[in-house]
Amino acid sequence: MTSLPHHSNSGAAQRFPVVIVGAGPAGLTIGNILRAADVDCLVLETESREFIERRPRAGVLEEWAVRGLDRRGLAANLLARGQVHTECEFRFAGRRHRFGYAELTGYHHYVYPQPLLVTDLVREYADVRGGAIRFGLRDVELHDLDSDRPSVSYTDPGSGRRHTVHCDFVAGCDGARGVSRDALPPGSARVSRHDYGIGWLALLAEAPPSNDCVVFGMHPRGFAGHMARSPEVTRYYLQCPPGDDPENWSHARVWSELRQRLGAAGAPRLTEGRLIEKRVLDMHSYVVEPMTYGRLFLAGDAAHLTAPIAAKGMNLALHDAFLLGDALVGRLAKGDRSGLDGYSAACLSRVWDYQEFSQWLSEMYHGVSSGDPHRAGTTLARLRRLLGSPSAGLAFAEQYLGMTAHR
Ligand code: RFL
């Protein structure tokens, strides 16, 4: 297929049909889809390979996303080593409430740490499918996106020389802090934002999980969450003021708050361990509409951020990547424009569905600690309905699993 000449190692201008900016789950999945169809592409990344293979983040993957990876030959390790999760547990007013969402729907979650997925994707792309990738780049810039000859330039960290890569299409997959979104000219897209006004202290503890499933604790002192990552590492969250300093959270304070907020009759003791990550996330979201401009197609966090309240961001990044990868193959290998034409609208339907669920869930997690007895009362009513009504339970389970957005 389209194999335009390129000179990957010279300082001269190079040419690839597709340049992918960013080697996260979105960019690497697109790269793998293109390489499987023999479409040449180049991935440009500002960090080192070692760094992206270790960066801790997500862990919860929806079943449809795993099936999508599997169909593209990208889930062998995930299916062999990922954990299957079928239930979660809500704790409030001193009691535990199990919620078996797989029993209600027939679908489940996988837990597989994002660094392991990125490691699998980069190995498959670069080492197995022979994809071109450059790490540690500086000053990446996008040019002439509204022409049919866009390009991307960067500074090589070793030589300090500036390189330009010409292409037919640019996939902007450089996450929330990348440059692709900023390349949209003013007025070409609408960026809507939502600030939850809430912080979460995100923690990784060197300790085995303290429960056999995800736990959500709704407590007057604030929300707390428990999520297994591996037999050795567990993620915890503690609601905190936005902008709080992680240094305000000593080891002793963290474990004391977790014990209080996740405490419930009959709950297993928390297994404590060294805190290997401690950072404050200010909960906010944004959506860029449309997700395209000229020859630039945004995917993943570059196009939309979903506060990690509902563990949806990486799932959305993969959804975009499946659509954009297939659409680029359609366009470049078969001359079919329909996938690229419909790309933004097809992504945004799931994006908005997940944004709405995150807001709904945020109220359920944070209402009890809002200091407003009326909000606390409605939150508890919402929880009782979810746990007591089979139809309300099913509606929640479908959204939790990302099933409603299929329809
Ligand atoms: P990524 O993963 O941020 O990758 C973008 C890549 O682009 C690089 N980059 C650049 N490259 C070239 N030029 C530039 N100018 C560049 N600027 C940046 C970056 O170094 C990086 O390698 O974006 P992508 O691919 O869109 O993937 C998005 C997901 O990473 C993100 O949505 C999730 O991590 C969100 N998230 C979760 N999502 C889930 O689906 N389930 C979860 O359980 C879950 N837990 C989480 C999360 C995010 C968290 N944080 C840190 C916000 C838990 C946490 C704590």
Side-chain angles (χ1 to χ4, degrees), residues 21-27 44-47 51-52 55-61 114 140 173-179 202 229 235 237 277 279 281 299-302 306 308 311-317:
V21 184
L44 302 177
E45 167 62 50
T46 45
E47 302 289 353
F51 182 88
I52 64 162
R55 181 168 43 201
R57 276 192 184 172
V60 181
L61 282 161
Q114 184 167 338
V140 176
C173 310
D174 48 354
R177 294 190 190 84
V179 293
R229 281 295 185 257
R235 187 172 274 298
Y237 291 113
E277 189 195 54
R279 48 189 296 214
L281 307 175
D301 281 7
T306 315
K312 295 292 192 188
M314 183 161 71
N315 292 285
L316 280 180

Side-chain angles (χ1 to χ4, degrees), residues 169-388:
F169 299 100
V170 180
C173 310
D174 48 354
R177 294 190 190 84
V179 293
S180 300
R181 192 172 60 259
D182 293 342
L184 299 171
S188 67
R190 181 179 67 183
V191 184
S192 53
R193 297 174 196 278
H194 179 69
D195 187 350
Y196 288 85
I198 279 166
W200 275 15
L201 182 69
L203 303 153
L204 276 179
E206 224 169 38
S210 302
N211 199 55
D212 58 355
C213 68
V214 168
V215 182
F216 304 113
M218 276 67 71
H219 193 275
R221 296 182 68 85
F223 170 80
H226 158 283
M227 279 136 221
R229 281 295 185 257
S230 71
E232 299 84 27
V233 174
T234 306
R235 187 172 274 298
Y236 288 94
Y237 291 113
L238 279 170
Q239 184 186 343
C240 65
D244 202 0
D245 183 349
E247 290 313 307
N248 292 338
W249 291 86
S250 66
H251 179 96
R253 183 179 176 206
V254 163
W255 289 106
S256 158
E257 281 295 329
L258 285 170
R259 276 195 302 274
Q260 291 180 72
R261 298 187 194 183
L262 293 173
R269 259 183 81 80
L270 291 189
T271 316
E272 297 187 16
R274 194 165 67 93
L275 298 171
I276 51 176
E277 189 195 54
K278 200 166 65 168
R279 48 189 296 214
V280 170
L281 307 175
D282 290 344
M283 293 293 152
H284 67 281
S285 300
Y286 59 76
V287 180
V288 177
E289 295 176 287
M291 290 165 52
T292 63
Y293 171 73
R295 295 287 182 118
L296 170 66
F297 293 80
L298 299 177
D301 281 7
H304 40 74
L305 192 72
T306 315
I309 291 168
K312 295 292 192 188
M314 183 161 71
N315 292 285
L316 280 180
L318 291 173
H319 184 248
D320 294 353
F322 298 152
L323 292 177
L324 185 53
D326 291 348
L328 286 166
V329 170
R331 173 72 175 78
L332 287 161
K334 301 168 200 149
D336 175 4
R337 293 168 179 272
S338 61
L340 287 182
D341 288 348
Y343 168 70
S344 178
C347 296
L348 285 166
S349 148
R350 184 177 289 268
V351 168
W352 281 116
D353 191 70
Y354 284 19
Q355 294 284 344
E356 191 280 332
F357 180 59
S358 294
Q359 282 191 30
W360 184 91
L361 200 57
S362 175
E363 185 56 22
M364 200 168 83
Y365 286 170
H366 305 117
V368 171
S369 57
S370 64
D372 174 346
H374 195 268
R375 272 180 71 189
T378 53
T379 299
L380 292 173
R382 190 176 281 191
L383 276 160
R384 285 194 301 272
R385 186 188 309 133
L386 192 163
L387 294 163

